[in-house]
Amino acid sequence: MPKLQVSAQDEQKAFEAEVATIEKQWSSSRQSHLKRPYDAQTIAALRNTIPAQSSSSSTQAVKLWNQLQEHNKNGTTELTFGTTDPVAVSQMAKHQQTVYVSGALCGFSEVAIPGMDHADYPWDTVPKVVAKIFKSQLWHDQRQKQFRLRHPVEERDGLENWDYLAPIVADGDMGFGSLTSTMKMAKEFVEAGVAMIHIDDLAIGMKKFTIGQGRTVVPTSEYLDRLTAVRMQFDIMGTETLLLCRCDTDHSEFITSVADERDHEYVLGATKDVEPLQKCLAQAQAESKDLKAAREDWKKRASLKTFDEAVEAVATKEELESYKSEILQEKFRSLSTRRKIAQKIVKQEVVFDWELPRSSMGQYMFKSSVKAVVERALAAATLGDVTWARMDSPVWKDIVEFHTEIRKVFPDRLFAFGYTGDYDFGKAGFSDEQVKTLPWDLAKMGIVWQVQPIWSLQGLNLVTEQFAKLWQEEGIAGYLRTVQGPALSTKPMTDGFEKLSYCGGYLADAFFETVAGETIVEKGKALNFQRH
Ligand SMILES: C[C@](O)(C(=O)O)[C@H](CC(=O)O)C(=O)O
């Protein structure tokens, strides 16, 4: 293999030029809000000698960034929904600015073995779907442009001119493994042309929240490491790709470890002298008792509390006040510091053991709150561009509190919001009137990107089921009446196989004509375009 024909001096010059380019990009209006724990030199040394394949992703990211900034300025919002289908995406482009590729949907429709949204599909599943969708967007963009340019300028205003290149936002879940697999996933997303990905703080292999089996988050430090790994990969590629910091701490019940003292305030411990939960469950199992009931009974006997609640339960009013004021002198206090402060101030012994409630997989029990979510989101903010505090069900008071608290620190923060799963707004106390104006009320808080992630599941299933029934009952007559008829009579005609521009017939012709040496611009008149 030949050696690179570059002298060490030229290599150093190129390196320094790269460093200067990186520093310029980092100080641009698009990126100046970001803070990295590494410097430009480190990144420059991690780059390839030729540019990374990131230009499509960068272009789409800048487009999305500008769209979101514009919404933020105007108090408006982008409303999108999730799909994995390029055909659906081509129609979405007519009414919305972005497209969402949902992990949950990919797990149902894009894998060899489908399953519930446990993020247990191969790590490159979603990037591959993004690649498929982006390529389809490029194809629509190409065939529309070519079709327009076959027409004289004066005729083009009457022709379709959709922005098919709607930036794609995609689900990166928790990064699928170690930091290096998170980086590989981020790389695949960028090469696929994604505009923004979201990364969350859920524990790998423990994503069971959708069916209410208890959500497990990782320590704050691990969440930040994931985001940093993605940011680093983006920087290595020199891409503008946006990072959406999703936080799933709301209503989480477990945390994998207590390695980070920022989480200690929220970890639950037994405040009574009880046997470990696992021992209790093993015994219940041996005696063929109901494990769920045994667990609930243990929780009651253990009188689970956070350490501060345990202090509150035994301290006098004065003791509690001085305990709280000393705790508040620093932002984060570890459990051992809390214990020391309590020992000094509170006469009664504070019984608290967070080992006793640990699960069979070692998780600690966690008591979430809006404050806990705010702290995580604030810690993550400068690594990413947009924030999303995912909720299982919508709680208006919490939504307002979360976004208000973040904006106190980052007044221009952009937010995302997911109308996750099957939100029951009525049950959550929303009036019909509130639901009607919800997207635009959320927009006023800076929630500039809103998504119904699983439309394909509920929406397409509904339409398909209805049509399947009709098809059996009425056959082709039902199809003509409910599908083909309306599709052909809509002005402009709804896209379908008959519409040659949409199907790429003219584009294919253009390829043939070009190979044959023909000029293909402004030839519209020569062809039969009346169908459009
Ligand atoms: C957005 C989401 O990650 C998805 O995979 O689409 C899910 C969707 C859902 O559960 O409805 C989510 O975690 O919100």
Side-chain angles (χ1 to χ4, degrees), residues 100 102-104 117 171 207 209-210 246 388 390 420-421 453-454:
Y100 180 61
S102 144
D117 182 21
D171 189 348
K207 187 176 175 182
F209 63 90
T210 330
R246 170 168 142 167
W388 172 8
R390 185 201 178 275
T420 293
I454 54 159

Side-chain angles (χ1 to χ4, degrees), residues 12 17 30 33 53 81 122 139 194 199 237 241 264 268 277-278 282 303-304 311 318 320 356 392 397 436 441 466:
Q12 181 62 19
R30 156 70 195 96
H33 61 281
Q53 288 172 44
F81 55 87
W139 179 78
V194 84
I199 297 289
M237 300 180 84
T241 317
H264 289 189
L268 290 166
L277 171 62
Q278 291 316 307
S303 185
L304 290 175
V311 170
E318 293 73 34
L320 184 63
L356 296 175
D392 274 342
K397 185 179 82 35
K436 257 189 216 156
D441 292 339
Q466 285 172 344

Side-chain angles (χ1 to χ4, degrees), residues 264-276:
H264 289 189
E265 184 180 340
Y266 309 105
V267 179
L268 290 166
T271 63
K272 296 282 187 261
D273 186 15
V274 287
E275 75 281 22

